[in-house]
Amino acid sequence: AAAPAPGAAPAAAKPDEDAPPQGGLLGAVAVGLTDIGQTVRDQVNSGSVYSRVRSAASQASTRLYNAFGSGDIWGFLLWAFAGWGLALAFLYGLRTLPWLRPRADRFHPDRRAAFWRTAGLEAVRRLVPWLPAVAIAIAWPAVLPRSGDAARIFLAVAIPFLVGSFVIRIGGPLLYLLGPVRGWRIVRYAERRILPWIGALATLAVASTMLRAPDLRWTLGFDVAAVLTFIVDVALGIVAVIFIFNRRRGVQRLISDSGTDKTRDGKLYKAVIARLAANWHLLGLVIVVGHLISRVLGIGGGSFIGRAMVTLAAITIVTTLTYALSGGLAKLAHSMQVGKKGGLAYRLTWRYLEAVRRLLRLLATVLIIIIALRIWNFDAVVWFSTGIGLAIARPILSIAAILMVGWVVWIALDTAVDYALLPKDNSGRARDHSARARTLLPLLRNFAFVVLVVMTVIAILSNLGVNVTLLLGGVSIFGLALGFGSQQLVQDVITGLFMLFEDTIAVGDTIDTGDRNGTVESVTIRTVRIRDGDGALHTIPFSQIKALKNRSRGLGVYTVKVVVGYDANLDRVMEVMKEVGQGLREDPSFSPDMLTGLEIWGVDQFTPDGITIMGGLKTRALKQWGVGRAFNLRLKQRFDQEGIPLTPPRPSLVMPPAPAHRELEQDIGA
């Protein structure tokens, strides 16, 4: 190659067409869709599709012109319609005979002894009219010979209808074999509503297969056969989609007793059948759509029925193996969950087993998709290994790895916090959790969850192709504006953090904020929720708490206030009070809650009601009210025994009885 001239601008580097596009998953998908759309547009406008349709029209017009010009078309139509009509006459005419008419009423659950014999007789009865029709269709070109092309066209029309008729006729007795298992009502429904659809699908599938035969393609013309095959395949897909949507629940009940997952009964085949029954419509839609796409893209070949059966077999095998492995892991996880006496490592293993089960099902789904695509002539592994496929696969795998790591970390954190907050240890002994731990550990778990979610979302957005730098800058500006507009919220959060880390309050404490009091039910980073004595729940922001009274810390003091008359012996009164306090402390029902006996503080004041004596009972936190009520009751009973009045006697006027009252009124009147 000649060297570039001195001073000339260097030639532009040729872009690497095999290099994956930049811009993350969204950019790769956009480029891929653009390429596919351009390819389809080129094929439709000036590519193979347009040329194939034009060539098919030319071939069909040439053949029809020659056939009509020579007059052979009329002889062929007379010969073909005579054979088809005779076959149809045997196929449907013999059914009018009483001994060949289908007898579905013979199948009854009370006649199970002769069930198999009745099913066999019913199958023979239905096939007797079909066999002469088949014999006529096959022997007609030999009995009244025509050209090879005429025979091929005759059989290409007759055989699909005969196959569809065979499916309908033999399907009835086969469905009746499910009667004792699925119920006779659903079996009769399937014969009336489901079996005709299956027969139509079989007819279209056989027609599509026969149109691919080399001899028939030569007779019709390769392009004509290709266009007819495409039309039949589209009709097959439309009929299949209509059948799936209209008969979804009927087929589901026919396959299994219910569409639910029956993994708990321990039978693997029931679980697989139930899962296939619950999702058969999705599988059918995927197979039909895949078949149509393969025909449009020109990568399809072979029989639709054959590929569908192979696909279903592959799905069944992979599903069975997956359920077998998942069932073993489920039994192991269940045995570990029932025990639940191991340490943290034991619980982590149990949680990770559940995660492995879900991962196993996800991998099985991916494997099924890859195998199904390979059956339909699309190698997904090769496509995802190069070019645009590699550009799509990389971010998908990165996102999957990010989600997996986040899931593993979260399971470890959540299990560790749950294990730390268990009420009992491995040996069954009760744990003495501090209120600080019960308050801070859930908050730390929630904080870790938020941080983990934010980091995961940022990493996923980065793999999707979103410019995370601009996003973080916008978030920072928005956060700054939000900070100026929500100073009260920031104050709540900062005050709450200080209160939590200083262990000012905790869940279960009884507090008094000045205007509200009650028991703390929950604490967030911004608010505290307390339940008052009336049952109302109060949510109080931390910034509104100016002074806090916590009755649950340390000890409690019950103030004793006794008022006696001026004539009472104060020494005896205080002695009796001490005796009552000591007796209460010696009582096993109250002694665990009392820290000291009654402490007499002395004579507090003189009032018109009497002399006030003050004292106090020191108890455990929140126990002072129960101890104080018991003390008051015993003190009143003891004062009654001692004859000590609690308040001075008041002057009273005693009225005489009613007769004496009337005599007094008469004396006054006189």
Side-chain angles (χ1 to χ4, degrees):
K14 184 179 180 180
D16 187 3
E17 296 180 356
D18 295 333
Q22 302 297 323
L25 179 60
L26 297 179
V29 171
V31 173
L33 292 177
T34 303
D35 293 344
I36 293 175
Q38 186 64 36
T39 302
V40 173
R41 191 182 302 110
D42 294 341
Q43 289 181 354
V44 172
N45 293 335
S46 59
S48 60
V49 175
Y50 179 78
S51 60
R52 180 64 61 84
V53 173
R54 185 175 57 183
S55 177
S58 176
Q59 291 178 5
S61 62
T62 301
R63 281 171 168 74
L64 289 176
Y65 178 80
N66 295 332
F68 278 104
S70 62
D72 294 340
I73 187 66
W74 305 112
F76 167 76
L77 292 177
L78 180 62
W79 172 78
F81 276 108
W84 294 335
L86 187 61
L88 289 175
F90 276 94
L91 187 63
Y92 293 100
L94 293 179
R95 294 186 62 184
T96 60
L97 299 177
W99 57 280
L100 290 179
R101 188 175 302 163
R103 298 290 301 275
D105 56 334
R106 292 180 178 271
F107 293 91
H108 195 273
D110 297 335
R111 304 173 183 174
R112 295 182 180 179
F115 180 78
W116 291 99
R117 180 175 59 84
T118 306
L121 292 176
E122 184 65 19
V124 172
R125 184 180 292 108
R126 297 189 180 207
L127 289 178
V128 166
W130 182 80
L131 293 176
V134 174
I136 291 173
I138 296 176
W140 188 256
V143 174
L144 297 176
R146 300 280 296 184
S147 63
D149 294 342
R152 282 190 288 270
I153 295 176
F154 178 84
L155 293 177
V157 175
I159 290 178
F161 285 100
L162 290 175
V163 172
S165 175
F166 174 79
V167 171
I168 294 176
R169 291 173 179 275
I170 200 64
L174 293 178
L175 284 175
Y176 289 140
L177 298 179
L178 297 175
V181 181
R182 297 289 180 261
W184 296 100
R185 183 177 179 181
I186 185 61
V187 167
R188 293 189 178 96
Y189 169 83
E191 185 184 18
R192 294 193 309 269
R193 303 294 184 182
I194 297 177
L195 202 55
W197 287 92
I198 298 178
L201 292 174
T203 300
L204 293 173
V206 173
S208 176
T209 302
M210 294 195 66
L211 286 172
R212 291 181 178 83
D215 294 340
L216 187 60
R217 290 172 67 90
W218 175 265
T219 301
L220 298 176
F222 289 99
D223 294 329
V224 173
V227 173
L228 290 177
T229 303
F230 179 77
I231 294 174
V232 172
D233 287 336
V234 172
L236 176 62
I238 294 174
V239 173
V241 170
I242 296 174
F243 166 68
I244 289 171
F245 280 107
N246 286 345
R247 299 293 179 258
R248 168 186 159 188
R249 297 195 178 275
V251 175
Q252 179 178 343
R253 290 186 56 191
L254 189 64
I255 297 176
S256 178
D257 293 334
S258 63
T260 57
D261 189 0
K262 296 183 178 181
T263 57
R264 297 183 180 179
D265 57 4
K267 295 182 178 180
L268 179 62
Y269 73 93
K270 285 188 176 181
V272 175
I273 292 176
R275 179 60 62 182
L276 293 176
N279 300 293
W280 81 270
H281 58 289
L282 299 177
L283 296 176
L285 289 175
V286 170
I287 291 175
V288 171
V289 172
H291 173 70
L292 294 179
I293 293 176
S294 66
R295 292 293 183 254
V296 171
L297 297 179
I299 60 176
S303 172
F304 170 79
I305 296 295
R307 290 193 175 193
M309 297 302 295
V310 173
T311 304
L312 290 177
I315 291 174
T316 303
I317 293 173
V318 175
T319 304
T320 303
L321 295 176
T322 304
Y323 265 83
L325 295 176
S326 179
L329 294 176
K331 290 181 180 179
L332 180 58
H334 180 69
S335 62
M336 297 179 69
Q337 185 183 14
V338 170
K340 257 189 177 181
K341 294 183 179 180
L344 179 59
Y346 187 89
R347 293 177 177 273
L348 281 175
T349 304
W350 166 61
R351 292 286 300 272
Y352 283 133
L353 281 176
E354 293 293 329
V356 169
R357 287 187 61 206
R358 294 183 176 89
L359 180 61
L360 181 63
R361 295 190 178 187
L362 178 62
L363 294 178
T365 304
V366 174
L367 180 60
I368 287 174
I369 294 174
I370 293 175
I371 294 175
L373 291 175
R374 188 67 187 89
I375 293 174
W376 294 87
N377 285 347
F378 182 79
D379 196 338
V381 176
V382 174
W383 188 78
F384 280 109
S385 301
T386 57
I388 189 65
L390 181 60
I392 294 176
R394 282 179 179 175
I396 290 178
L397 294 177
S398 299
I399 292 173
I402 291 168
L403 293 175
M404 183 60 61
V405 172
W407 195 6
V408 170
V409 173
W410 167 247
I411 287 177
L413 290 174
D414 185 55
T415 306
V417 172
D418 286 341
Y419 179 76
L421 294 177
L422 285 177
K424 295 182 179 180
D425 58 11
N426 297 333
S427 59
R429 294 175 298 183
R431 285 180 171 180
D432 188 13
H433 293 297
S434 64
R436 181 184 179 89
R438 289 187 286 110
T439 304
L440 289 181
L441 284 178
L443 282 177
L444 292 176
R445 175 171 56 185
N446 296 336
F447 177 76
F449 176 76
V450 172
V451 172
L452 195 60
V453 168
V454 170
M455 295 177 61
T456 303
V457 170
I458 292 175
I460 291 175
L461 291 177
S462 177
N463 283 276
L464 289 177
V466 179
N467 193 340
V468 182
T469 304
L470 296 178
L471 180 63
L472 293 177
V475 171
S476 301
I477 296 174
F478 177 75
L480 183 61
L482 184 64
F484 281 110
S486 57
Q487 296 181 6
Q488 186 66 35
L489 176 63
V490 175
Q491 185 178 358
D492 292 338
V493 173
I494 293 176
T495 306
L497 288 175
F498 278 106
M499 282 192 175
L500 292 175
F501 285 110
E502 290 176 358
D503 199 18
T504 304
I505 58 174
V507 176
D509 288 353
T510 299
I511 64 173
D512 186 353
T513 63
D515 55 348
R516 297 177 182 87
N517 60 80
T519 303
V520 178
E521 284 200 353
S522 63
V523 178
T524 66
I525 199 172
R526 191 184 68 86
T527 61
V528 57
R529 295 182 179 181
I530 61 175
R531 182 83 63 179
D532 63 12
D534 297 330
L537 183 64
H538 301 269
T539 301
I540 307 172
F542 280 113
S543 62
Q544 294 185 8
I545 302 177
K546 304 304 180 183
L548 183 67
K549 183 190 295 184
N550 195 334
R551 301 181 183 275
S552 301
R553 303 298 174 87
L555 53 85
V557 177
Y558 181 79
T559 302
V560 177
K561 184 177 181 181
V562 179
V563 181
V564 298
Y566 283 94
D567 57 346
N569 187 348
L570 297 183
D571 294 334
R572 180 57 183 166
V573 169
M574 289 186 284
E575 183 180 354
V576 170
M577 291 173 63
K578 289 183 179 181
E579 292 176 358
V580 172
Q582 185 63 29
L584 188 66
R585 189 178 183 186
E586 294 175 355
D587 190 341
S589 301
F590 299 97
S591 59
D593 298 331
M594 297 181 64
L595 301 179
T596 63
L598 177 65
E599 296 179 357
I600 301 296
W601 298 341
V603 177
D604 185 66
Q605 59 182 342
F606 298 93
T607 64
D609 293 332
I611 302 174
T612 302
I613 302 176
M614 299 288 291
L617 290 168
K618 289 185 179 181
T619 66
R620 294 173 58 191
L622 303 179
K623 301 297 182 180
Q624 61 266 34
W625 296 290
V627 173
R629 295 187 189 99
F631 175 81
N632 291 335
L633 176 61
R634 296 190 180 194
L635 182 64
K636 178 62 171 65
Q637 294 173 350
R638 184 66 183 275
F639 276 8
D640 290 342
Q641 294 176 3
E642 297 287 338
I644 301 174
L646 289 175
T647 58
R650 298 177 179 271
S652 58
L653 176 64
V654 180
M655 298 297 295
H661 181 64
R662 287 196 298 269
E663 292 178 358
L664 180 61
E665 289 180 349
Q666 293 175 359
D667 293 340
I668 294 175

